[in-house]
Amino acid sequence: MLQQVNGHSSGSGAQGGESLREDLQEFLSGEAPLHQLDDLTKVNPVTLETVLRCLQARYAADIFYTNAGCTLVALNPFKPVPQLYSPALMREYHAAPQPQKLKPHIFTVGEQTYRNVKSLIEPVNQSIIVSGESGAGKTWTSRCLMKFYAVVAASPTSQESHKIAERIEQRILNSNPVMEAFGNACTLRNNNSSRFGKFIQLQLNRAQQMTGAAVQTYLLEKTRVACQASSERNFHIFYQICKGASMDERLQWHLPEGAAFFWLPNPERTLEEDCFEVTREAMLHLGIDTPAQNNIFQVLAGLLHLGNIRFAHSEDEAQPCHLTGDAKCSLRTSALLLQLPEDPLLETLQIRTIRAGRQQQVFRKPCSRAECDTRRDCVAKLVYARLFDWLVSVINSSICADPASWTTFIGLLDVYGFESFPNNSLEQLCINYANEKLQQHFVAHYLRAQQEEYAIEGLEWSFVNYQDNQTCLDLIEGSPISICSLINEECRLNRPSSAAQLQTRIESALAGSPSLGHNKLSREPSFVVLHYAGPVQYHTAGLVEKNKDPVPPELTRLLQQSQDPLLKVLFPTDPEEKAQEEPSGQSRAPVLTVVSKFKASLEQLLQVLHCTTPHYIRCIKPNSQGQAHSFLQEEVLSQLEACGLVETIHISAAGFPIRIPHRNFVERYEVLRRLCARTSSGPHSPSPAEGHSERSPCTEVATLQAVLQDILHTLPALTQAAAILGDPAKAIPAPVHCGKTKVFMTDSMLELLEHRRAQVLEQCARRIQGSWRRHWHRKQERQRRAAVLIQAAIRSWLARKQVQRLHTAATVIKRAWRKWRIGMAFLASKELDGVEEKHFSQVPLPTGSFLLPQTQTSLLAAIIRLWPLGLVLANATVGVRGFQRKLVVWACLQLPVGNPSSYPVQIAQGQAGVTSIRALPQGSIKFHCRKSPLPYADICPEPSPYSVTGFNQILLERHSLGHG
């Protein structure tokens, strides 16, 4: 059940004042811890005064960001605080598990939007609406957010992707200085005030990496080019050119030092934004090369000289106005820089072309001095507006990604703040109208939507009286009659408009509106609108003319005659465009007014915002002088009242910021039922997803509710477990309310649910991991056993194949040996047949022979006729050597028995041929050279020149024995 909040509004008066002051005294007595309150919902009671004191205490402690429920309050420090926006701090907020637990910062909002895009099942586009008065720091906040996204949303893996991301980052960041130089100016309240609205769309791909961006602009204050209020300046780019150009560039653009220009007021003031080199470098990164830059600056210099053209009253109305003294030189210089013909330029400014009648007859009428000044200003505004739009298109073409490459975006809306000056005109009316629409969007999205949703869901709710600005919007844009419709009607009547007449029409037609006020003390025709931020008085003089924003066709045709390359692009010669500029009197279509175009673009912007999840940053200006360490309570108080901050805090403190539909809640937190022990009555209710196709809608809803109640019954157990773990604050009954279609809860309860869900998922993950490891090990063991069996089978097969090869080889060797042995025996027996045996003593010793010693005769007799054994002994590596080996050879050859010494052994020394030691052969000798199969048959460890080895060497010399 929702707790009742007894807040006090700012207009409560004296009722309850005493009790309120007592509460304040009790609360403010301990002012020291005020700066430690990171969220304004923690102050008690929630009033403007207590919120103001808390903000002042934090501002004095150099703490500039404070949460206010769903809104971030940002105080402008008016001094550089570099450590507050460093890249290291960006990465710290990006890497934090829970950034909301860190100190409040714009990086917290940026990280929250980035994680919302990243984590949702169906990503929803995000938008950040930065609002506040002029000078409150909206532009700086948007710039820091762009830097933050450029750092955290660019984490590619490959080197090539990294280079592409760096280039995209650089171009997105460089679009800021260019747009600020051409679209910002120094006003009474802000030195860098945005004179246009912009919606920056940061484009992200499916991996949440930034792939590009797109910029959409709204209502550039182009009248500032030709008209600046006192103590204000023109756009920054004009001062950058005059202060930062080199000597050669000054000569080229005709900008001598100390030159005075009517459209360049307060040139002596030097601001941080007057940095020409930064702008040029940023344009270079965006693809605008140096020649194109020089062309742009040349056109801007031509506009400055165009502003020095002054006209004098003509005594004769039939004659055009004459130029003043130095105006001719300025005209010549402007025509030279804009590359326009000088005489047609002057003639176009002095003479107006009128087409009348069905025949479209052309009449030329000299213009008055005021009309000449208006036409001159119209040329400058037209050129600058088209130049600004061209720059935006160039920036978009440089940074925008292919639509197929991005899926979601984060939008940054930086619009003009609420403005109220001594002299307010159409520009201020449009700006404040935009702020009214954004305030209504905030009220509709958060304040009103929360209260209505609580009532629909059946929550007991103490309604807060918030400030609704619908009556003010009805006054400005309502149907059928409103301020905008009356101004547009005056434009369509095509008659001279009177300021007093317009005031009378507005006051008479809208007299019943409570948001329309009157200022009876004003001497000029005006009307007062009671905006949400306060009353603003608008002067009606020139209101209709500004709304028409007329561009005479002859001015456009003149600019189309320019030979300047840039002006040719800005003003192309299009026959269709000419046909549209010169329609017939009968078929003339109504011209779109400034208010109509602005209203259409604003509606388009709001449609984009309604399709996104919005986040709000309220920028507060501590003082209007822009001084650091100065906190003016009156000014801050008016801003707090204007933005409805106290009502926001009331609802945020009393409400449930987390709202989850029943089905989504069940799908996400159904796992928490594992924490609740199963009762004896039966198992848990089945999941609503089970049998979905077979269930009727009523049955499905009943099942969903049963599962939902099951989950909600586990919440007390969760809070008790949290208290046991050492967090007694979470032991309070769970702040959860189950509505009709949604579950409402606080941030602390959501944190507890997510923590317990993470624990359950961790347990499930561990079980899955254990089961997987067991399955994996079993699979590995089966694979190992299979591998062993396969290896054993292969080894057995290889062994069998090897044995078979060895057996086959042995059989072949055995067969070959037997065949060789039989052949050798046959040769030996055939060779020895028919040889006559002779006694050793009967043969005389020839010259060169030697006698066998007597001591070896018994050995020779022992081995006679045993020549196979002798052959083995003769070829052995050990045993008899030298001449003894020869005796063995003789025995093996079965020579005649006798005195061994009587047989001469003739050794061939240097003779050609070989002679056998056996009987003298009859006829030719055939050599049978085959390798012996006996091991080591041909090897002699210590060979001797007289030794005979191997059976193949038995036939040693082919020489007759009788040659001795």
Side-chain angles (χ1 to χ4, degrees), residues 38-49:
D38 292 338
D39 199 325
L40 295 179
T41 59
K42 298 178 181 179
V43 299
N44 189 26
V46 180
T47 63
L48 276 175
E49 188 173 356

Side-chain angles (χ1 to χ4, degrees), residues 808-828:
T808 303
T811 304
V812 172
I813 293 173
K814 184 189 303 182
R815 187 182 299 112
W817 164 249
R818 291 173 180 172
K819 182 179 179 180
W820 178 83
R821 187 178 60 180
I822 294 173
M824 288 298 102
F826 174 75
L827 291 176

